[in-house]
Amino acid sequence: GENVEQHPSTLSVQEGDSAVIKCTYSDSASNYFPWYKQELGKRPQLIIDIRSNVGEKKDQRIAVTLNKTAKHFSLHITETQPEDSAVYFCAAMEGGGNKLTFGTGTQLKVEL
Amino acid sequence: NAGVTQTPKFRILKIGQSMTLQCTQDMNHNYMYWYRQDPGMGLKLIYYSVGAGITDKGEVPNGYNVSRSTTEDFPLRLELAAPSQTSVYFCASSLSYEQYFGPGTRLTVT
Protein backbone atom coordinates (compact mmCIF):
# COMPACT_ATOMS: atom_id res chain seq x y z
CA GLY A 1 0.00 0.00 0.00
CA GLU A 2 0.84 3.68 -0.06
CA ASN A 3 3.33 5.12 2.44
CA VAL A 4 3.57 8.87 3.06
CA GLU A 5 6.43 10.46 4.99
CA GLN A 6 6.27 14.05 6.18
CA HIS A 7 9.02 16.40 7.40
CA PRO A 8 9.67 18.24 9.59
CA SER A 9 7.54 17.16 12.53
CA THR A 10 7.79 20.63 14.08
CA LEU A 11 8.55 23.97 12.46
CA SER A 12 8.92 27.34 14.12
CA VAL A 13 9.11 30.53 12.06
CA GLN A 14 8.96 34.24 12.69
CA GLU A 15 5.87 36.10 11.58
CA GLY A 16 6.30 37.20 7.97
CA ASP A 17 8.76 34.43 7.11
CA SER A 18 8.01 31.54 4.77
CA ALA A 19 7.36 27.96 5.84
CA VAL A 20 7.93 24.82 3.78
CA ILE A 21 6.69 21.33 4.63
CA LYS A 22 7.74 18.33 2.54
CA CYS A 23 6.19 14.94 1.89
CA THR A 24 7.24 11.88 -0.05
CA TYR A 25 5.02 9.04 -1.24
CA SER A 26 5.74 5.51 -2.38
CA ASP A 27 3.03 4.59 -4.91
CA SER A 28 3.82 6.02 -8.33
CA ALA A 29 0.15 5.54 -9.31
CA SER A 30 -1.08 8.01 -6.65
CA ASN A 31 -2.90 10.85 -8.37
CA TYR A 32 -4.25 13.31 -5.79
CA PHE A 33 -2.37 15.15 -3.04
CA PRO A 34 -4.30 17.27 -0.54
CA TRP A 35 -3.03 19.33 2.38
CA TYR A 36 -5.09 19.69 5.54
CA LYS A 37 -4.82 22.19 8.39
CA GLN A 38 -5.95 21.06 11.83
CA GLU A 39 -6.30 23.45 14.75
CA LEU A 40 -6.29 22.09 18.27
CA GLY A 41 -9.45 20.13 19.00
CA LYS A 42 -10.89 20.77 15.53
CA ARG A 43 -11.49 18.71 12.43
CA PRO A 44 -8.99 18.66 9.53
CA GLN A 45 -9.77 21.32 6.93
CA LEU A 46 -8.61 21.14 3.32
CA ILE A 47 -6.46 24.15 2.45
CA ILE A 48 -5.10 23.22 -0.97
CA ASP A 49 -4.79 20.18 -3.20
CA ILE A 50 -3.06 19.17 -6.41
CA ARG A 51 -3.63 16.44 -8.96
CA SER A 52 -0.92 14.44 -10.65
CA ASN A 53 -1.25 16.23 -14.01
CA VAL A 54 -0.26 19.59 -12.47
CA GLY A 55 3.16 20.65 -11.18
CA GLU A 56 2.21 23.65 -9.05
CA LYS A 57 -0.89 25.31 -7.65
CA LYS A 58 -1.25 28.58 -5.74
CA ASP A 59 -3.97 30.10 -3.60
CA GLN A 60 -3.04 33.48 -2.16
CA ARG A 61 -0.29 32.85 0.42
CA ILE A 62 -0.18 29.07 0.04
CA ALA A 63 1.18 26.95 -2.79
CA VAL A 64 1.80 23.28 -3.41
CA THR A 65 4.40 21.81 -5.75
CA LEU A 66 4.52 18.24 -7.03
CA ASN A 67 7.48 16.33 -8.44
CA LYS A 68 6.12 13.06 -9.81
CA THR A 69 9.51 11.76 -10.85
CA ALA A 70 10.92 12.10 -7.36
CA LYS A 71 7.56 11.27 -5.75
CA HIS A 72 7.50 14.24 -3.45
CA PHE A 73 5.29 17.27 -2.90
CA SER A 74 5.63 20.34 -0.75
CA LEU A 75 3.48 22.98 0.93
CA HIS A 76 4.73 26.56 0.86
CA ILE A 77 3.25 29.26 3.08
CA THR A 78 4.49 32.81 2.52
CA GLU A 79 4.14 35.84 4.80
CA THR A 80 3.19 33.64 7.73
CA GLN A 81 0.78 34.97 10.34
CA PRO A 82 0.03 33.80 13.90
CA GLU A 83 -3.26 32.30 12.70
CA ASP A 84 -1.26 29.94 10.48
CA SER A 85 -0.13 28.14 13.65
CA ALA A 86 -1.64 24.64 13.49
CA VAL A 87 -0.83 21.05 12.53
CA TYR A 88 -0.57 20.46 8.80
CA PHE A 89 -1.07 17.04 7.21
CA CYS A 90 -0.23 15.92 3.71
CA ALA A 91 -1.95 12.97 2.11
CA ALA A 92 -1.82 10.90 -1.07
CA MET A 93 -4.68 9.12 -2.83
CA GLU A 94 -3.97 5.75 -4.37
CA GLY A 95 -4.42 5.48 -8.10
CA GLY A 96 -7.73 3.92 -9.13
CA GLY A 97 -9.25 4.28 -5.68
CA ASN A 98 -10.50 6.86 -3.22
CA LYS A 99 -8.45 6.05 -0.14
CA LEU A 100 -6.16 8.68 1.37
CA THR A 101 -2.96 7.85 3.22
CA PHE A 102 -1.90 10.62 5.59
CA GLY A 103 1.49 11.81 6.73
CA THR A 104 2.19 12.12 10.45
CA GLY A 105 1.77 15.89 10.55
CA THR A 106 3.85 19.04 11.04
CA GLN A 107 3.25 21.32 14.01
CA LEU A 108 3.79 24.85 12.66
CA LYS A 109 4.30 27.64 15.15
CA VAL A 110 4.42 31.23 13.94
CA GLU A 111 6.07 33.44 16.52
CA LEU A 112 5.54 37.17 16.87
CA ASN B 1 -26.38 21.92 4.51
CA ALA B 2 -25.12 20.56 7.84
CA GLY B 3 -22.32 18.70 6.03
CA VAL B 4 -20.94 15.75 8.02
CA THR B 5 -22.27 15.32 11.54
CA GLN B 6 -21.10 12.90 14.24
CA THR B 7 -22.52 11.82 17.57
CA PRO B 8 -21.60 11.67 20.35
CA LYS B 9 -18.91 14.34 20.78
CA PHE B 10 -17.37 12.60 23.79
CA ARG B 11 -17.73 9.17 25.34
CA ILE B 12 -16.07 7.18 28.10
CA LEU B 13 -16.35 3.40 27.86
CA LYS B 14 -15.32 0.68 30.21
CA ILE B 15 -13.20 -2.17 28.88
CA GLY B 16 -15.40 -4.78 27.23
CA GLN B 17 -18.35 -2.45 26.57
CA SER B 18 -19.71 -1.84 23.08
CA MET B 19 -20.95 1.29 21.35
CA THR B 20 -21.86 2.74 17.98
CA LEU B 21 -20.46 6.00 16.66
CA GLN B 22 -22.92 7.72 14.38
CA CYS B 23 -22.05 9.57 11.17
CA THR B 24 -24.46 11.31 8.81
CA GLN B 25 -23.88 13.44 5.72
CA ASP B 26 -26.44 15.46 3.76
CA MET B 27 -24.38 16.13 0.64
CA ASN B 28 -25.42 12.98 -1.24
CA HIS B 29 -21.82 11.77 -1.31
CA ASN B 30 -21.22 8.18 -2.34
CA TYR B 31 -17.91 7.79 -0.52
CA MET B 32 -17.70 7.71 3.26
CA TYR B 33 -14.77 6.97 5.57
CA TRP B 34 -13.89 6.35 9.19
CA TYR B 35 -10.51 7.43 10.54
CA ARG B 36 -8.91 7.34 13.94
CA GLN B 37 -6.37 9.88 15.13
CA ASP B 38 -4.14 9.04 18.04
CA PRO B 39 -2.42 11.90 19.95
CA GLY B 40 0.28 13.58 17.88
CA MET B 41 -0.33 11.30 14.92
CA GLY B 42 -1.93 11.41 11.51
CA LEU B 43 -5.22 9.86 10.54
CA LYS B 44 -5.47 6.14 9.91
CA LEU B 45 -8.26 4.68 7.82
CA ILE B 46 -10.44 2.14 9.64
CA TYR B 47 -13.18 1.37 7.08
CA TYR B 48 -14.62 3.00 4.02
CA SER B 49 -17.66 2.71 1.76
CA VAL B 50 -18.11 3.49 -1.92
CA GLY B 51 -21.90 3.42 -1.72
CA ALA B 52 -24.89 1.99 0.10
CA GLY B 53 -24.39 -1.70 0.78
CA ILE B 54 -20.65 -1.67 -0.01
CA THR B 55 -17.94 -1.45 2.64
CA ASP B 56 -14.27 -2.39 2.79
CA LYS B 57 -11.44 -2.51 5.29
CA GLY B 58 -8.86 0.20 5.64
CA GLU B 59 -5.48 0.12 7.37
CA VAL B 60 -6.65 -0.58 10.96
CA PRO B 61 -10.03 -2.45 10.91
CA ASN B 62 -9.52 -4.88 13.80
CA GLY B 63 -12.01 -4.39 16.63
CA TYR B 64 -14.47 -2.41 14.48
CA ASN B 65 -17.43 -3.07 12.22
CA VAL B 66 -19.41 -0.89 9.85
CA SER B 67 -22.59 -0.97 7.82
CA ARG B 68 -23.96 1.30 5.08
CA SER B 69 -27.68 0.79 4.57
CA THR B 70 -28.32 4.32 3.24
CA THR B 71 -26.30 6.94 1.36
CA GLU B 72 -26.51 9.31 4.33
CA ASP B 73 -25.44 7.12 7.28
CA PHE B 74 -22.25 5.23 8.02
CA PRO B 75 -22.16 4.01 11.65
CA LEU B 76 -19.02 2.55 13.22
CA ARG B 77 -19.47 -0.23 15.78
CA LEU B 78 -16.94 -1.00 18.51
CA GLU B 79 -17.31 -4.43 20.07
CA LEU B 80 -15.51 -5.32 23.30
CA ALA B 81 -13.80 -1.96 23.74
CA ALA B 82 -10.08 -2.02 24.62
CA PRO B 83 -7.77 0.76 25.92
CA SER B 84 -5.98 0.69 22.54
CA GLN B 85 -9.18 2.09 21.00
CA THR B 86 -8.85 5.33 22.96
CA SER B 87 -8.64 7.90 20.18
CA VAL B 88 -10.44 10.63 18.29
CA TYR B 89 -12.64 9.24 15.53
CA PHE B 90 -13.38 11.24 12.41
CA CYS B 91 -15.95 10.44 9.78
CA ALA B 92 -15.54 11.91 6.28
CA SER B 93 -17.40 11.88 2.99
CA SER B 94 -16.57 12.75 -0.60
CA LEU B 95 -18.07 12.98 -4.05
CA SER B 96 -14.79 12.30 -5.83
CA TYR B 97 -11.50 13.67 -4.50
CA GLU B 98 -12.04 16.24 -1.73
CA GLN B 99 -12.96 14.69 1.61
CA TYR B 100 -15.10 16.61 4.09
CA PHE B 101 -14.63 15.76 7.75
CA GLY B 102 -17.07 15.65 10.62
CA PRO B 103 -16.26 17.28 13.99
CA GLY B 104 -15.01 14.06 15.55
CA THR B 105 -15.83 11.85 18.52
CA ARG B 106 -13.35 11.71 21.40
CA LEU B 107 -13.47 8.21 22.90
CA THR B 108 -11.74 7.08 26.07
CA VAL B 109 -11.68 3.42 27.10
CA THR B 110 -10.72 2.76 30.73
Side-chain angles (χ1 to χ4, degrees):
Chain A
E2 177 67 275
N3 182 49
V4 176
E5 295 191 357
Q6 182 172 348
H7 300 280
S9 57
T10 61
L11 179 59
S12 185
V13 299
Q14 295 292 316
E15 183 180 9
D17 287 349
S18 295
V20 180
I21 303 170
K22 299 181 179 182
C23 288
T24 60
Y25 61 99
S26 61
D27 185 356
S28 56
S30 290
N31 58 7
Y32 173 67
F33 306 91
W35 285 89
Y36 285 85
K37 176 183 180 181
Q38 187 178 30
E39 297 175 343
L40 190 63
K42 305 287 188 181
R43 75 189 81 186
Q45 299 268 18
L46 180 73
I47 56 171
I48 196 167
D49 57 11
I50 192 167
R51 300 195 188 177
S52 58
N53 59 349
V54 175
E56 183 175 1
K57 183 177 178 180
K58 287 184 180 179
D59 183 3
Q60 298 182 9
R61 294 187 299 108
I62 60 174
V64 56
T65 58
L66 171 65
N67 183 327
K68 287 174 56 180
T69 303
K71 289 189 284 188
H72 68 71
F73 56 112
S74 300
L75 176 71
H76 303 253
I77 305 174
T78 59
E79 300 172 18
T80 53
Q81 301 168 3
E83 51 265 38
D84 294 330
S85 295
V87 179
Y88 292 81
F89 293 98
C90 64
M93 181 173 283
E94 59 176 25
N98 283 79
K99 295 190 293 183
L100 283 176
T101 300
F102 284 81
T104 50
T106 296
Q107 174 76 61
L108 174 64
K109 183 177 181 182
V110 180
E111 298 177 331
L112 295 172
Chain B
N1 285 351
V4 181
T5 57
Q6 293 182 236
T7 56
K9 286 187 171 59
F10 305 93
R11 183 74 186 268
I12 298 174
L13 279 183
K14 293 190 186 302
I15 294 172
Q17 288 185 322
S18 300
M19 77 165 292
T20 298
L21 282 67
Q22 302 291 345
C23 175
T24 300
Q25 54 92 8
D26 62 359
M27 298 175 282
N28 203 32
H29 287 171
N30 282 333
Y31 300 97
M32 294 189 75
Y33 311 83
W34 274 107
Y35 295 92
R36 59 176 287 171
Q37 184 177 34
D38 297 331
M41 299 295 290
L43 294 98
K44 293 191 182 294
L45 183 65
I46 305 171
Y47 271 95
Y48 68 102
S49 170
V50 300
I54 306 170
T55 63
D56 204 351
K57 296 178 181 178
E59 185 182 353
V60 289
N62 291 347
Y64 307 94
N65 278 301
V66 293
S67 59
R68 183 97 182 268
S69 57
T70 66
T71 299
E72 294 78 19
D73 300 306
F74 190 39
L76 178 71
R77 178 83 177 163
L78 278 73
E79 305 281 3
L80 299 175
S84 61
Q85 293 177 305
T86 293
S87 192
V88 179
Y89 292 83
F90 288 100
C91 178
S93 72
S94 72
L95 193 59
S96 60
Y97 289 96
E98 181 177 351
Q99 293 190 12
Y100 297 83
F101 284 81
T105 294
R106 186 174 297 274
L107 176 67
T108 302
V109 182
T110 61

